[in-house]
Amino acid sequence: MSTERSIIQFLEYSTELEAWNAMKIVLFWVLILWLLNLCFCSMEKPTAIDGTMTLHILAIDTTGTLPLNQQLSYSPVPNARVRMKCADYNQSLEFETDENGELVVENLLAAQYEISITKQAPNANLGDYITTLLSASKTSDLKQQLSGVVDTIKVIKLVTSNLVINEIYYAGVNAGSWTYNFDQFVELYNAGSTTLYLDGLILARLANNAYYVFTDDVEVVYAYQFPGKGKQFPILPHEIVVIAQDAIDHRKIVPLSIDLSSADWECFNQLGNDIDGSRSVENLSFIPGTTKNDFYLHSSTDIVLLIKKNNNSDIRQIGQSLLFSVSEVIDGVKYGDPSNEHKVIQKIIDSGYSGFGILRASGRSIERHHPETGGPGYDTNNSSFDFVSLSRPTPGWQHSKEDIIVPFF
Ligand SMILES: [Ca+2]
Ligand SMILES: [Ca+2]
Ligand SMILES: [Ca+2]
């Protein structure tokens, strides 16, 4: 009897032991799976606004452009367009301030937001060349922000040109072991309602020297100038012109590249190692004083400037660079993926940067994009908001919705 009992007890004990061991294994794997789940969940980026942060801004005008509100004792900027962009989470948001210039946005993620506030100034059309916006750009880091803080933002008067850089194709394409980027081009656009003239205008690339951002000058390299001294080279209202680095059919060299043989203009370095791509395409000529290169842009990050000399004064030269004053810059565009280290320029020229999602040799491009119409020429001097990234270059025409790279916009 006692032997039988012992065997039964032993079997029961063994079963309990196995069950306990099995349970331990199950518990172990449950724990591992839970940890893995926790890990992956925290790595996943949210796809909708589901945060807990609040942004409270108050837009006021101290330029004297908008009327003083006696009750509030300041000049609010009512019904201003407020655009927000969060690069960390691929979010673009848009709102409007209320009649008191205020905006409260709740449920935001604890992240850094680029904010652009714009409003067309009353009597804004000062002439054929310029319009005035009331505008402000700001970076708000909600990770650092205390709750209940009202961010007062003062708008400035922003004078923008009707003649703008509309597209920059800089990335080039993959040509096997190297990047082919001789098919780069810049598009200009006349956003005004009257004919403008390209005579004497200068297209340039900013030098890689941060010093001048603290001055009223810009330092450039690779400066190319349109011919003419008066009204020889018109650009009609709403006309797009293409300035090629070389006006040839680049597909004959690298099939993935583009045909620029029918560009409106090309840069030709009459002193350097360059080809006059097409005799039937007018040339912008090289301004001596800088390195004798073709009009070559960096394939990842750079700043392109359109300059109009105030008078016929001599162009200032310093070393291998040229100097122009900020007031002579009609338009300037900064580009580069967030992972790039950017050149710096005065915020009044460009307080943001374009080029999200564009890598060297990707065959992608950047173009201005009106937030309502999608049309060309939209300019608030903040490229983060004025430009979209395109899956392909569009030389001579404005992109369609299908060309825009998602999900950034
Ligand atoms: Ca050339
Ligand atoms: Ca030519
Ligand atoms: Ca285009």
Side-chain angles (χ1 to χ4, degrees):
M1 274 297 275
S2 68
T3 316
E4 276 174 17
R5 188 178 292 153
S6 299
I7 291 168
I8 290 165
Q9 275 176 342
F10 174 74
L11 285 174
E12 279 175 352
Y13 174 73
S14 305
T15 319
E16 272 174 27
L17 199 68
E18 276 168 23
W20 173 235
N21 278 337
M23 196 185 282
K24 275 203 288 191
I25 290 166
V26 168
L27 279 172
F28 172 77
W29 282 109
V30 165
L31 185 70
I32 291 292
L33 286 172
W34 179 74
L35 282 172
L36 279 174
N37 191 35
L38 195 72
C39 208
F40 281 120
C41 278
S42 61
M43 281 161 67
E44 214 169 85
K45 286 182 176 180
T47 50
I49 310 173
D50 57 0
T52 55
M53 307 304 289
T54 298
L55 181 79
H56 188 164
I57 59 174
L58 168 64
I60 63 167
D61 173 41
T62 55
T63 68
T65 310
L66 296 176
L68 177 76
N69 182 316
Q70 298 291 354
Q71 243 175 343
L72 298 169
S73 71
Y74 59 78
S75 305
V77 187
N79 311 111
R81 183 195 299 274
V82 181
R83 303 174 76 193
M84 297 171 59
K85 185 174 284 180
C86 173
D88 292 343
Y89 295 101
N90 299 352
Q91 265 189 343
S92 292
L93 306 167
E94 189 166 332
F95 305 95
E96 208 174 78
T97 56
D98 66 12
E99 68 275 15
N100 295 330
E102 282 192 75
L103 171 71
V104 179
V105 187
E106 291 174 320
N107 304 323
L108 288 168
L109 296 160
Q112 187 168 295
Y113 287 85
E114 299 296 322
I115 302 168
S116 154
I117 301 174
T118 49
K119 184 182 174 69
Q120 194 77 46
N123 308 318
N125 211 338
L126 299 178
D128 294 332
Y129 289 84
I130 47 176
T131 51
T132 307
L133 283 172
L134 294 171
S135 163
S137 293
K138 191 177 187 303
T139 303
S140 266
D141 191 348
L142 296 185
K143 286 175 281 191
Q144 312 289 337
Q145 188 124 321
L146 299 169
S147 60
V149 171
V150 180
D151 226 337
T152 301
I153 300 177
K154 292 177 185 173
V155 293
I156 55 163
K157 258 189 194 174
L158 195 71
V159 178
T160 61
S161 162
N162 278 336
L163 185 63
V164 293
I165 295 167
N166 193 57
E167 179 175 2
I168 305 171
Y169 172 57
Y170 56 87
V173 290
N174 193 341
S177 56
W178 59 298
T179 301
Y180 182 83
N181 49 16
F182 302 123
D183 59 348
Q184 291 176 332
F185 70 86
V186 172
E187 248 181 27
L188 302 184
Y189 176 70
N190 180 356
S193 54
T194 56
T195 299
L196 301 174
Y197 296 89
L198 301 169
D199 299 47
L201 294 184
I202 296 165
L203 188 66
R205 163 179 166 169
L206 194 82
N208 196 10
N209 179 355
Y211 166 76
Y212 285 96
V213 79
F214 303 108
T215 72
D216 290 331
D217 288 329
V218 290
E219 182 192 1
V220 309
V221 290
Y222 307 179
Y224 280 76
Q225 189 163 30
F226 281 94
K229 285 191 171 129
K231 296 187 169 181
Q232 277 173 266
F233 300 103
I235 175 169
L236 302 174
H238 310 298
E239 186 184 355
I240 289 175
V241 301
V242 175
I243 307 166
Q245 188 190 112
D246 291 317
I248 58 170
D249 186 353
H250 295 268
R251 296 172 305 179
K252 290 177 180 167
I253 305 165
V254 174
L256 281 175
S257 64
I258 52 171
D259 180 9
L260 290 178
S261 58
S262 55
D264 302 283
W265 295 89
E266 69 176 317
C267 293
F268 175 54
N269 191 329
Q270 70 283 10
L271 303 177
N273 188 15
D274 192 13
I275 51 155
D276 189 358
S278 168
R279 291 293 159 93
S280 60
V281 174
E282 292 266 14
N283 297 341
L284 276 76
S285 53
F286 172 75
I287 300 175
T290 66
T291 18
K292 290 174 186 169
N293 277 314
D294 202 355
F295 187 69
Y296 169 73
L297 296 171
H298 196 283
S299 309
S300 302
T301 175
D302 219 324
I303 296 177
V304 183
L305 301 171
L306 184 65
I307 296 163
K308 187 176 196 289
K309 286 287 294 168
N310 284 337
N311 49 47
N312 290 329
S313 62
D314 285 342
I315 292 168
R316 289 172 289 162
Q317 188 177 347
I318 175 161
Q320 293 280 292
S321 309
L322 304 174
L323 288 184
F324 296 94
S325 78
V326 168
S327 66
E328 293 173 319
V329 176
I330 294 184
D331 193 18
V333 179
K334 186 195 288 192
Y335 66 77
D337 201 68
S339 59
N340 291 123
E341 197 171 316
H342 299 143
K343 288 180 183 175
V344 288
I345 195 157
Q346 287 84 349
K347 281 183 185 282
I348 192 102
I349 295 175
D350 193 346
S351 55
Y353 62 94
S354 179
F356 292 88
I358 297 187
L359 299 175
R360 176 196 291 265
S362 62
R364 293 177 163 184
S365 191
I366 56 166
E367 187 154 64
R368 291 192 187 273
H369 176 95
H370 192 285
E372 281 156 17
T373 65
Y378 183 74
D379 187 16
T380 66
N381 288 1
N382 186 337
S383 293
S384 303
F385 295 92
D386 298 343
F387 279 77
V388 289
S389 297
L390 306 179
S391 58
R392 59 170 186 155
T394 57
W397 72 94
Q398 180 72 359
H399 64 268
S400 62
K401 211 172 154 190
E402 292 70 36
D403 296 319
I404 300 172
I405 298 170
V406 285
F408 274 105
F409 301 94

